[in-house]
Amino acid sequence: MTQIIDGKKISAEIKDELKEQVAAYREQGIEICLAVIQVGDDPASSVYVRNKKKACEYIGIKSLSYELPARTTEEELLSLVEQLNGRADVNGILVQLPLPEQIDEEKVLNAISPLKDVDGFHPMNVGALCIGKKGFVSCTPAGVIQLLKRSGISISGRECVVVGRSNIVGKPMALLLLRENGTVTVAHSRTEDLKAVTRRADILVVAVGRPQMITEEYVKEGAVVIDVGIHRDENNKLCGDVEYARVAPHCSAITPVPGGVGPMTIAMLMKNCVESVEIQKASFVERAE
């Protein structure tokens, strides 16, 4: 029988663990603070920001909210980021994407201090992941690893295929699976005979960005399938990159959409916020030495 991996349940467990850690920090006089910046009023972004604020409130993290008009210039946004970089009372900085067209997203993300980059997008944090050093890890791939581990699914020695090579999901996902001793292949739009490659996978992570592209023909019998995609189908229902109804009967375990990977992204953002205390403390000690 197929195991349905419950992201809502696992993310709730992680948040409860973080709540205890935050309470312990507070007893030491340490308050953790996340600054969230949203430019414009994109409806999806507003939902994400609200959910992040709710998670902060539940766990006990203070959140600062900066809701800027869509006409905000790149210079104004960079100035705010620089100000927050310099504030000792701010542990994490998150700039909600997408940004309006007049602002260079890469420039803004690179301006965030790597010690406060709780999204894990800064080149220094990506580089740290590549060479196995301490740093913030991109939230969605980190959430996938937690889903697997907390569902009792072993990664070590398994054949892992990641479909998608984005900087936010595909590449860091491959590095994290490699860190867990998986044997990793990254497949993408130029991969020849994609079905043959994905059918090798014991663990198949799909982050291709195309609704219901992966059918049972892409999946080895008994594989674990993790669906990172989120879309709306022709009936306006949420769906993923995997055609769930056709694929699920062939899997040993699978994530649904919604309720699989999605809830984990915010849980891991909160985890990065809590871990920021020790990362920043270690950096302070290094500078002092």
Side-chain angles (χ1 to χ4, degrees), residues 57-70:
E57 190 178 349
Y58 179 76
I59 291 164
I61 294 172
K62 180 182 176 183
S63 66
L64 302 176
S65 183
Y66 297 86
E67 290 163 7
L68 309 179

Side-chain angles (χ1 to χ4, degrees), residues 269-287:
L269 171 67
M270 297 297 107
K271 193 170 192 298
N272 279 350
C273 287
V274 174
E275 288 182 353
S276 70
V277 175
E278 298 305 323
I279 287 173
Q280 287 154 17
K281 199 184 288 180
S283 172
F284 179 78
V285 169
E286 280 177 22
R287 287 201 305 272

Side-chain angles (χ1 to χ4, degrees), residues 39-105:
V39 184
D41 54 2
D42 176 77
S45 292
S46 297
V47 170
Y48 292 140
V49 167
R50 266 200 310 276
N51 289 340
K52 286 164 186 173
K53 287 179 188 170
K54 276 187 201 167
C56 283
E57 190 178 349
Y58 179 76
I59 291 164
I61 294 172
K62 180 182 176 183
S63 66
L64 302 176
S65 183
Y66 297 86
E67 290 163 7
L68 309 179
R71 65 178 182 278
T72 299
T73 65
E74 186 178 283
E75 290 71 24
E76 287 168 335
L77 181 53
L78 289 170
S79 174
L80 174 58
V81 167
E82 193 54 41
Q83 176 197 325
L84 294 169
N85 279 339
R87 283 181 57 170
D89 63 327
V90 172
N91 299 88
I93 302 169
L94 185 149
V95 177
Q96 183 64 46
L97 303 179
L99 292 170
E101 60 182 17
Q102 75 271 18
I103 299 174
D104 182 337
E105 287 186 357

Side-chain angles (χ1 to χ4, degrees), residues 117-261:
D117 165 43
V118 287
D119 258 334
F121 295 162
H122 194 282
M124 281 184 67
N125 283 318
V126 176
L129 174 61
C130 285
I131 59 173
K133 295 288 185 184
K134 186 75 176 166
F136 295 113
V137 176
S138 187
C139 300
T140 300
V144 170
I145 296 295
Q146 286 298 312
L147 282 178
L148 292 168
K149 286 184 169 182
R150 290 172 184 249
S151 300
I153 296 163
S154 173
I155 302 167
S156 183
R158 308 288 291 281
E159 185 93 26
C160 305
V161 175
V162 180
V163 186
R165 54 177 166 175
S166 72
N167 291 334
I168 291 174
V169 180
K171 289 175 186 172
M173 188 74 256
L175 290 166
L176 285 173
L177 289 165
L178 195 59
R179 181 187 276 186
E180 297 295 330
N181 300 313
T183 300
V184 183
T185 300
V186 179
H188 46 78
S189 59
R190 299 290 179 89
T191 299
E192 289 186 15
D193 199 354
L194 180 61
K195 289 178 184 175
V197 174
T198 58
R199 279 200 302 266
R200 296 201 313 255
D202 301 310
I203 299 172
L204 178 63
V205 182
V206 187
V208 73
R210 287 177 56 187
Q212 300 183 318
M213 172 186 158
I214 300 298
T215 62
E216 72 275 18
E217 295 147 5
Y218 289 82
V219 178
K220 179 169 82 172
E221 203 67 33
V224 174
V225 176
I226 306 292
D227 188 352
V228 179
I230 187 153
H231 316 274
R232 290 201 177 268
D233 65 15
E234 63 275 10
N235 301 313
N236 205 35
K237 281 189 161 185
L238 287 172
C239 66
D241 289 350
V242 175
E243 196 164 337
Y244 183 88
R246 288 174 61 181
V247 170
H250 301 276
C251 301
S252 59
I254 190 169
T255 56
V257 176
V261 174

